[in-house]
């Protein structure tokens, strides 16, 4: 157990809340690293700008996305997949920043998934009103590796369900510096993000960013 001090900083050991068998919420785990993570996001988007991708069904996603790492997650009329090349630039995705790797290592170890080395990171940008409907992360080749998800900026309501789309998801408030890790029996859990409430965050303004680090290849 731990608490936050007056400034919302984590004090003592990380607070660890089980969301399901195999899934934990580590509140405030990366508050201190947040400025470095946001700077690293700026470095990524200088080379691979945010874009609104198209679903296979022809809808434009409200959440803007980009990637870094050896592979990037994509959706277009042809389907969902990973690709080593950014279709917008024709170039390889930017490298996974060292700050991302460090956080992935620390969070996965704290969640009980030792030895996790991500090779891909999807970077999501939420504006007020944008949402991510319930889905599974299942385009990765290897489901033995967990997903490490880092929240930055405005708070969001994270929906975390079960292995079936019809399992009613529970709702969790995710704040700046929180990390969710899911793997093992929860690896294919349905999850999503409720429409973002408007607000102003000292480090991101009217935005929320999310990093999901994966072993895609
Ligand atoms: C995702 O499922 O890709 C993102 C989850 C989040 O934004 O918290
Ligand atoms: Fe996801």
């Amino acid at each position: 157990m731990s608490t936050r001090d007056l400034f919302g900083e984590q004090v003592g050991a990380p607070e660890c809340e089980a969301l399901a068998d195999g899934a934990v919420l580590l509140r405030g785990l990366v508050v201190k690293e947040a400025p470095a993570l946001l700077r690293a996001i700026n470095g990524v988007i200088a080379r691979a700008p945010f874009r609104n991708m198209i679903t296979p069904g022809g809808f434009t996603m409200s959440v803007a996305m980009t990637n870094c790492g050896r592979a990037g997650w994509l959706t277009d009329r042809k389907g969902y997949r990973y690709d080593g090349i950014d279709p917008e630039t024709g170039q390889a995705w930017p490298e996974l920043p060292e700050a991302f790797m460090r956080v992935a290592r620390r969070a996965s170890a704290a969640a009980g998934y030792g030895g996790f080395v991500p090779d891909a990171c999807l970077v999501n940008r939420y504006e007020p009103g944008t949402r991510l409907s319930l889905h599974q992360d299942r385009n990765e080749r290897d489901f033995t590796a967990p997903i490490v998800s880092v929240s930055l900026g405005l708070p969001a309501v994270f929906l975390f369900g079960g292995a079936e789309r019809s399992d009613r998801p529970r709702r969790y408030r995710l704040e700046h510096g929180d990390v969710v890790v899911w793997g093992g029996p929860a690896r294919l859990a349905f999850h999503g993000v409720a429409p973002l409430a408007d607000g102003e965050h000292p480090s991101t303004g009217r935005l929320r960013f999310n990093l999901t680090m994966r072993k895609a290849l």
Side-chain angles (χ1 to χ4, degrees):
M1 264 303 275
S2 75
T3 54
R4 290 171 197 257
D5 67 16
L6 278 176
F7 308 99
E9 295 256 332
Q10 197 70 42
V11 178
E15 191 180 320
C16 186
E17 179 179 349
L19 306 192
D21 189 16
V24 294
L25 165 51
L26 301 155
R27 287 210 165 90
L29 187 77
V30 301
V31 169
K32 285 206 180 69
E33 291 88 341
L37 294 171
L38 289 167
R39 278 196 302 276
I41 291 173
N42 273 328
V44 168
I45 64 176
R47 290 177 46 205
F50 281 115
R51 76 289 309 264
N52 294 89
M53 298 188 202
I54 313 287
T55 67
F59 294 99
T60 301
M61 298 187 75
S62 64
V63 177
M65 299 178 170
T66 187
N67 291 278
C68 53
R70 285 173 53 214
W73 184 86
L74 294 177
T75 173
D76 59 18
R77 293 305 301 234
K78 288 182 270 174
Y80 304 131
R81 64 190 176 281
Y82 281 93
D83 198 310
I85 300 293
D86 176 355
E88 294 291 317
T89 65
Q91 306 290 312
W93 300 100
E95 262 182 47
L96 263 170
E98 193 49 49
F100 288 18
M101 299 294 284
R102 271 198 299 275
V103 158
R105 205 174 306 133
R106 196 152 72 82
S108 55
Y113 296 102
F116 172 58
V117 182
D119 57 17
C121 178
L122 175 67
V123 184
N124 289 340
R125 185 190 68 195
Y126 298 79
E127 294 177 27
T130 63
R131 62 190 289 267
L132 197 59
S133 53
L134 277 186
H135 65 279
Q136 295 168 297
D137 291 357
R138 58 176 310 146
N139 301 119
E140 301 73 30
R141 229 169 258 166
D142 174 7
F143 296 145
T144 64
I147 303 284
V148 172
S149 167
V150 177
S151 292
L152 297 166
L154 282 181
V157 174
F158 185 55
L159 311 170
F160 198 81
E164 308 292 334
R165 186 180 289 280
S166 55
D167 295 335
R168 181 198 284 267
R170 294 215 205 157
R171 301 163 70 87
Y172 300 90
R173 183 179 162 95
L174 295 185
E175 291 185 22
H176 184 69
D178 290 353
V179 182
V180 183
V181 181
W182 63 95
R187 177 60 182 75
L188 292 175
F190 277 88
H191 59 280
V193 178
L196 195 78
D198 203 352
E200 183 75 30
H201 191 277
S203 44
T204 63
R206 293 177 72 211
L207 294 172
R208 170 180 188 255
F209 296 95
N210 173 264
L211 309 173
T212 41
M213 284 172 277
R214 304 111 184 269
K215 187 173 180 320
L217 302 178

